[in-house]
Amino acid sequence: MTDDIISKDSFAKKLDVTMDSQVSSGKVFKLEEVALHNNQDDLWMAIHNKVYDITKFLAEHPGGEEVMLEHAGLEATYAFEDVGHSLDARDLLSQYYIGDVHPDDRTEKAAKLADSPETGLSTGMLAGIGVALIAGVSFLFMNKQW
């Protein structure tokens, strides 16, 4: 093997997409408490069993305030992953970390969502396949090669 071939221990395999390496603040929050912080003046979310106070980021969010407010005070791992946030976004999120979800409220699926083979194709992948399929059929139809 050459050095050009990416090994299983490569940089890509070592990425911390679930933010598990986030150093614990020692604070623990029940999802009931997270739910109390659900408006534009006080906005918390739980993502991958971590709690984030993203109030100060609300106006800066590239996707707009509305999507953030839809998930305010909620366990938002699925929504966060479904969008396909970049590594930069994950790094930025770490600035707003305030604690961990209480063990009684933790979800294994949230902790493994980004790395689990059982999650199947993402919504983005399915949309891309759909667009490619429609484009291909349209091309054949327009050129009457069907």
Side-chain angles (χ1 to χ4, degrees), residues 46-68:
I47 300 171
H48 290 294
N49 294 318
K50 310 265 185 232
V51 179
Y52 300 92
D53 179 349
I54 52 174
T55 309
K56 294 179 181 175
F57 181 67
L58 185 62
E60 299 173 34
H61 186 252
E65 293 183 12
E66 299 79 25
V67 69
M68 302 286 277

Side-chain angles (χ1 to χ4, degrees), residues 35-135:
L36 299 174
H37 304 270
N38 61 7
N39 62 68
Q40 64 187 32
D41 297 319
D42 183 21
L43 199 158
W44 291 12
M45 284 184 193
I47 300 171
H48 290 294
N49 294 318
K50 310 265 185 232
V51 179
Y52 300 92
D53 179 349
I54 52 174
T55 309
K56 294 179 181 175
F57 181 67
L58 185 62
E60 299 173 34
H61 186 252
E65 293 183 12
E66 299 79 25
V67 69
M68 302 286 277
L69 291 169
E70 285 177 27
H71 298 94
L74 300 175
E75 203 301 317
T77 300
Y78 179 80
F80 182 81
E81 292 299 339
D82 191 46
V83 173
H85 282 91
S86 67
L87 293 176
D88 288 339
R90 291 167 194 281
D91 188 48
L92 185 63
L93 181 63
S94 68
Q95 296 176 42
Y96 301 99
Y97 169 77
I98 57 171
D100 296 311
V101 171
H102 189 280
D104 292 345
D105 291 337
R106 291 177 63 85
T107 58
E108 283 301 310
K109 187 162 186 129
K112 294 181 180 178
L113 184 65
D115 195 34
S116 175
E118 65 202 35
T119 58
L121 295 175
S122 70
T123 303
M125 180 72 80
L126 289 175
I129 291 169
V131 168
L133 184 60
I134 291 170

